[in-house]
Amino acid sequence: MALGSCKNVELTFKNGTNQQISIPKDGHRVKNKGSIEGWNQLVLGASKSNLQAGDSWSNTLKLNIKCVTDAEFEIKWSDNNGDHFSNFTSVNISDQKATFTLK
């Protein structure tokens, strides 16, 4: 089965910069490594504005991929210098948790 569903995954976003950042509700992507289905759109349940340097924010949602040890994510975020995309590979979501440090 190529398609999957990983329910109630807690995604934690850490601000690894020295300034405030914002994380939009959409514009992110997720996929299972080596999957034939490719990238899926990832929409968070909410957005977060003005996340202070060193602070974290969590969002729990259902992912449209399998709960694996090597998921891939592309996270969109912004700061005073504009929009950025951070890529994360081999993310273990088998325990239904993932942490992303944005820098």
Side-chain angles (χ1 to χ4, degrees):
M1 182 170 140
L3 303 175
S5 177
C6 191
K7 296 180 181 176
N8 300 322
V9 180
E10 180 182 17
L11 304 180
T12 300
F13 303 92
K14 290 185 178 183
N15 182 351
T17 74
N18 60 3
Q19 59 182 310
Q20 290 181 12
I21 66 170
S22 293
I23 304 167
K25 182 176 181 176
D26 51 16
H28 318 285
R29 300 187 313 163
V30 61
K31 76 174 182 173
N32 286 133
K33 185 175 183 176
S35 172
I36 59 172
E37 68 190 66
W39 289 98
N40 291 316
Q41 296 301 313
L42 173 62
V43 178
L44 304 177
S47 61
K48 178 66 176 172
S49 298
N50 304 318
L51 184 65
Q52 298 296 319
D55 284 353
S56 297
W57 172 68
S58 295
N59 198 264
T60 301
L61 60 149
K62 175 182 173 183
L63 301 180
N64 290 321
I65 63 170
K66 295 179 183 178
C67 286
V68 295
T69 59
D70 61 351
E72 297 183 33
F73 290 83
E74 181 180 82
I75 304 299
K76 181 179 180 181
W77 58 282
S78 60
D79 62 13
N80 291 337
N81 298 318
D83 291 337
H84 307 281
F85 291 90
S86 294
N87 293 308
F88 299 90
T89 59
S90 299
V91 178
N92 184 350
I93 57 170
S94 62
D95 63 353
Q96 297 177 295
K97 294 181 182 183
T99 299
F100 305 102
T101 300
L102 306 171
K103 46 186 169 180

